[in-house]
Amino acid sequence: MKTSGLSDNCYAYLGTASQDVAEHFSMMGKNNLSDALKKLKITTTDSTADSLEGCLDCLLQALAQNNTETSEKIQKSGVLQVFASLLTPQSSCTAKVANIIAEVARNEFMRNPCVDAGLIPPLVQLLNCKDQEVLLQTGRALGNICYDSHEGRNAVDHAGGAHIVVDHIRSLCNKTDPASEKLLTVFCGMLMNYSNENDTLQSQLINMGVIPTLVKLLGIHCQNAALTEMCLVAFGNLAELESSKEQFAYTNIAEELVKLFKKQIEHDKKEMIFEVLAPLAENDVIKLQLVEAGLVECLLEIVQKTVDSDKEDDVAELKTASDLMVLLLLGDESMQKLFEGGKGSVFQRVLSWIPSNSHQLQLAGALAIANFARNDGNCIHMVDNGIVQKLMDLLDRHVEDGNVTVQHAALSALRNLAIPVVNKAKMLSAGVAEAVLKFLRSEMPPVQFKLLGTLRMLIDAQAEAAEQLGKNAKLVERLVEWCEAKDHAGVMGESNRLLSALIRHSKSKDVIRTIVQSGGIKHLVTMATSEHVIMQNEALVALALIAALELVTAEKDLENAQLVQILHRLLSDDRSAPEIKYNSMVLICALIGSEPLQKEVQSMAFLEVVSKLRSHENKTVAQQASLTEQRLAVES
């Protein structure tokens, strides 16, 4: 999580000189500042405590009036190096020196010079003192030097500063007096700046056990807005790391965040909690904890309040809440808990989003259904209770110039629902194939991908539907076109698989002729060389059916696609899976019914390759090798 302007916004309230100092020095001009800088340069050899205090007060006042200009003068004067010698626990000026360093380090250009001046080691040593004001200003100084500074963080890391600060937070955790809470806020901010966007340092803090401490802190100090905000930003930083999620899962973070969320009225505060919830909810254990802590009810309430509003904040809250709802449903246990056998109030509320006029809710509703449809029981229940019609109605609203994300989500849901065998015929009877085909014109790869997957699921073992779709020349032509979509591997792969599925499930001569006429044969042959065994196998089975049912029609295309050479290569390759070798031999036996293809087979010494496979460790392959060898011997 990137925090912007942190050192200014979070620490500015600690950076001004006291009222009496301000009044005393309000008339002092640039000459006084120059005099103070000169005096400070010789302070280690010739100065009283009073004159030193005066010089430091002058610097603080000048910084309060014009921080940037004063910081530049401090840098040029060489006084930073002097500060290193003034940062001692015994000195009465230590807190003021640390305060000045904190103020100058609010400027980006001053952070590296502070490191180069050797200020980090003495500042870290000051973390061991008992004086609260010194600790406060030291924490500010280190935090500001670390802000967006690789060098600052490295120096603090090298000096062991983080470990001491974590120990301080642990020891102060239960104290609720204002001074302790102020110190806790600064220390949390320091750790936040120290580790922001740095995986190594974040891992270091996680290994120190900072997460349980911060969660405890949030629970005890939830009434302190500044400290709560620091904890939330720190959580946001740490929650991105996978190792942190495991630690968070062992705390009551879910309960604390939901409790805090329920109290929030301001959009910015809710947004801050959302930014922590989103990465944490990627963990399945925490998903369930959030559901059990009542987050879903909070999210549904936000949706209800914001759905009809066009205010920017409300639109943003609606999106965040509904997106988070979908994320919670990605966990198997959390999803099943909310499904409640299809009777759950949450499931029913999500269903009501689908016919909504809000694209965001339509999207979230369809994605939620897709997530609920992750096991056969849920899918069967939903299809039996009319969810398919709701999704088709939604798709109908997005056919012409529709919302691509909604199309993609609705198709995802239909695809998942079509997986159980008992649902396929019901969905086909409901007209799902026709509804999906309306998107055949889509030029959006995500929509194309889901469209193909949905059709492939629908026709699995459904001969009549496969034949009907396979004879649809427009569909087949589009599939052949998408088989060449090299920029979109998913679309290309699904197109090939659907082409093969149309043949395998229909076993229809008409389908094969349609595919031959559309130029699909070469793609099936190429598919047989896929790196995925399942795709190779699907291609070989489809090609074997082509050779058995319509060899004469496909003969020329099979020859041009160099199928025989590819089969020789597959049989010769020791890495080919047993099923690939088996189906390659079945295909060879079918191909020798064609004169030109038989000549190719004879010219490539298949007998030699096949005879070696008779001793294959897989018995089915060995048996097919014997049969194939006999067949080849007869034909030769």
Side-chain angles (χ1 to χ4, degrees):
M1 183 185 290
K2 178 72 173 171
T3 51
S4 64
L6 178 67
S7 51
D8 287 350
N9 295 339
C10 293
Y11 298 143
Y13 70 94
L14 295 170
T16 53
S18 61
Q19 188 62 35
D20 56 334
V21 171
E23 288 171 5
H24 182 74
F25 286 99
S26 60
M27 296 180 290
M28 294 184 68
K30 293 179 181 177
N31 290 337
N32 302 70
L33 174 61
S34 300
D35 289 346
L37 289 169
K38 284 175 186 172
K39 284 179 184 176
L40 279 170
K41 283 194 75 174
I42 56 168
T43 189
T44 49
T45 56
D46 181 24
S47 180
T48 63
D50 288 345
S51 67
L52 186 56
E53 291 263 1
C55 293
L56 296 173
D57 285 337
C58 180
L59 261 61
L60 282 169
Q61 177 60 19
L63 285 163
Q65 289 174 353
N66 190 329
N67 190 304
T68 305
E69 188 181 324
T70 304
S71 294
E72 286 172 347
K73 290 187 175 178
I74 288 172
Q75 184 188 5
K76 285 174 185 171
S77 71
V79 145
L80 283 178
Q81 284 78 0
V82 174
F83 288 160
S85 62
L86 297 176
L87 291 169
T88 58
Q90 298 80 19
S91 169
S92 59
C93 302
T94 301
K96 282 183 181 173
V97 175
N99 189 354
I100 291 167
I101 295 167
E103 288 301 312
V104 300
R106 287 168 62 180
N107 301 286
E108 187 182 353
F109 67 87
M110 288 299 290
R111 291 169 198 149
N112 283 1
C114 285
V115 175
D116 296 339
L119 298 180
I120 301 295
L123 281 170
V124 168
Q125 283 305 307
L126 286 177
L127 290 171
N128 294 305
C129 80
K130 305 295 181 191
D131 187 296
Q132 275 214 318
E133 182 62 19
V134 171
L135 286 173
L136 192 73
Q137 300 302 344
T138 301
R140 286 187 62 240
L142 289 169
N144 285 359
I145 292 170
C146 285
Y147 182 73
D148 263 355
S149 168
H150 181 67
E151 290 77 6
R153 292 168 182 172
N154 275 353
V156 172
D157 178 26
H158 187 70
H163 208 292
I164 304 170
V165 170
V166 170
D167 285 344
H168 271 303
I169 293 173
R170 280 203 190 99
S171 64
L172 290 166
C173 190
N174 293 310
K175 295 184 178 178
T176 54
D177 61 283
S180 294
E181 288 197 325
K182 204 173 186 182
L183 195 50
L184 278 167
T185 304
V186 167
F187 280 153
C188 285
M190 181 259 163
L191 289 184
M192 185 170 65
N193 281 0
Y194 170 73
S195 64
N196 187 37
E197 294 193 330
N198 187 309
D199 289 358
T200 305
L201 297 180
Q202 286 171 0
S203 295
Q204 180 194 76
L205 292 181
I206 291 165
N207 292 336
M208 286 179 193
V210 77
I211 286 173
T213 304
L214 290 176
V215 174
K216 185 180 173 186
L217 204 63
L218 183 67
I220 295 170
H221 302 272
C222 58
Q223 301 302 323
N224 185 306
L227 184 48
T228 297
E229 193 170 312
M230 282 298 181
C231 285
L232 289 173
V233 183
F235 290 149
N237 280 347
L238 298 171
E240 300 290 344
L241 286 187
E242 206 53 46
S243 58
S244 79
K245 295 182 180 76
E246 292 163 16
Q247 277 205 22
F248 275 119
Y250 284 104
T251 70
N252 63 334
I253 184 70
E255 190 184 325
E256 292 296 351
L257 287 175
V258 173
K259 201 186 334 175
L260 188 64
F261 190 84
K262 286 176 179 175
K263 296 177 187 172
Q264 304 310 317
I265 299 166
E266 294 175 39
H267 168 75
D268 289 349
K269 294 288 192 297
K270 288 182 190 171
E271 198 64 31
M272 187 172 274
I273 300 170
F274 273 140
E275 285 183 6
V276 180
L277 288 169
L280 286 180
E282 289 169 7
N283 179 281
D284 282 358
V285 175
I286 300 175
K287 279 186 183 78
L288 186 60
Q289 291 171 353
L290 289 168
V291 168
E292 289 172 341
L295 178 62
V296 171
E297 289 73 17
C298 296
L299 299 177
L300 290 173
E301 191 180 331
I302 287 174
V303 168
Q304 196 172 347
K305 284 180 180 174
T306 57
V307 65
D308 296 320
S309 172
D310 53 5
K311 288 182 186 171
E312 193 177 337
D313 284 355
D314 287 345
V315 171
E317 270 188 37
L318 176 71
K319 176 172 173 21
T320 309
S322 53
D323 283 350
L324 189 52
M325 182 78 198
V326 172
L327 182 58
L328 291 175
L329 293 173
L330 280 171
D332 288 337
E333 285 188 75
S334 53
M335 176 271 287
Q336 211 57 42
K337 188 176 181 67
L338 294 171
F339 188 67
E340 290 183 78
K343 307 263 191 298
S345 61
V346 173
F347 173 65
Q348 297 301 327
R349 288 279 289 278
V350 167
L351 280 188
S352 72
W353 294 356
I354 293 174
S356 158
N357 289 320
S358 158
H359 282 182
Q360 175 58 35
L361 276 196
Q362 292 170 7
L363 170 64
L367 287 173
I369 297 305
N371 285 343
F372 280 124
R374 288 211 314 280
N375 64 55
D376 283 5
N378 291 6
C379 290
I380 292 165
H381 177 89
M382 286 192 277
V383 169
D384 287 347
N385 284 273
I387 190 64
V388 169
Q389 191 57 52
K390 290 180 189 290
L391 290 167
M392 291 201 308
D393 291 345
L394 177 60
L395 279 174
D396 263 349
R397 294 168 71 179
H398 290 275
V399 174
E400 299 298 329
D401 303 318
N403 183 297
V404 173
T405 54
V406 174
Q407 292 171 358
H408 179 264
L411 288 167
S412 294
L414 287 170
R415 180 199 176 279
N416 288 2
L417 290 168
I419 292 172
V421 176
V422 295
N423 281 359
K424 297 180 195 295
K426 294 173 186 175
M427 291 176 71
L428 286 164
S429 298
V432 171
E434 291 77 10
V436 169
L437 285 172
K438 290 176 185 176
F439 295 89
L440 207 53
R441 299 192 305 271
S442 174
E443 294 301 330
M444 305 305 294
V447 174
Q448 295 167 354
F449 180 73
K450 288 298 176 185
L451 174 156
L452 293 163
T454 306
L455 290 176
R456 187 165 63 79
M457 285 300 155
L458 281 171
I459 64 166
D460 189 8
Q462 306 297 309
E464 192 180 327
E467 182 166 11
Q468 193 179 343
L469 286 174
K471 290 192 291 189
N472 181 331
K474 283 186 178 175
L475 168 62
V476 174
E477 283 165 11
R478 196 70 160 131
L479 292 182
V480 170
E481 180 189 333
W482 287 341
C483 281
E484 294 174 0
K486 291 188 169 55
D487 291 341
H488 303 287
V491 172
M492 189 166 72
E494 277 293 343
S495 300
N496 278 298
R497 294 191 76 187
L498 182 53
L499 211 53
S500 161
L502 291 170
I503 295 168
R504 288 183 294 109
H505 297 303
S506 72
K507 299 180 176 64
S508 160
K509 291 186 173 191
D510 288 339
V511 170
I512 292 169
R513 281 195 286 266
T514 305
I515 289 172
V516 171
Q517 285 161 14
S518 301
I521 296 296
K522 63 181 179 183
H523 297 299
L524 290 171
V525 174
T526 303
M527 183 181 168
T529 65
S530 167
E531 60 185 338
H532 305 290
V533 173
I534 192 167
M535 288 180 67
Q536 281 186 294
N537 214 35
E538 288 172 359
L540 290 169
V541 173
L543 289 166
L545 284 165
I546 292 168
L549 298 171
E550 277 291 325
L551 185 54
V552 176
T553 308
E555 183 180 75
K556 196 69 186 165
D557 286 353
L558 293 171
E559 194 178 352
N560 290 339
Q562 299 185 324
L563 175 60
V564 173
Q565 290 91 320
I566 286 168
L567 292 174
H568 189 276
R569 197 160 68 239
L570 290 174
L571 288 170
S572 305
D573 192 343
D574 292 337
R575 293 168 299 177
S576 292
E579 59 267 39
I580 302 304
K581 290 188 184 292
Y582 175 85
N583 283 320
S584 295
M585 288 188 282
V586 170
L587 185 47
I588 284 292
C589 291
L591 291 179
I592 56 180
S594 154
E595 192 179 333
L597 292 170
Q598 182 192 3
K599 284 180 180 174
E600 281 194 39
V601 171
Q602 287 172 342
S603 70
M604 294 200 70
F606 266 86
L607 264 173
E608 185 184 332
V609 178
V610 171
S611 64
K612 287 180 183 175
L613 292 174
R614 283 187 309 166
S615 57
H616 196 278
E617 61 187 1
N618 183 294
K619 285 182 181 176
T620 311
V621 172
Q623 285 168 1
Q624 185 59 42
S626 295
L627 292 171
T628 306
E629 187 180 30
Q630 288 168 24
R631 187 74 195 278
L632 290 173
V634 169
E635 294 298 332
S636 63

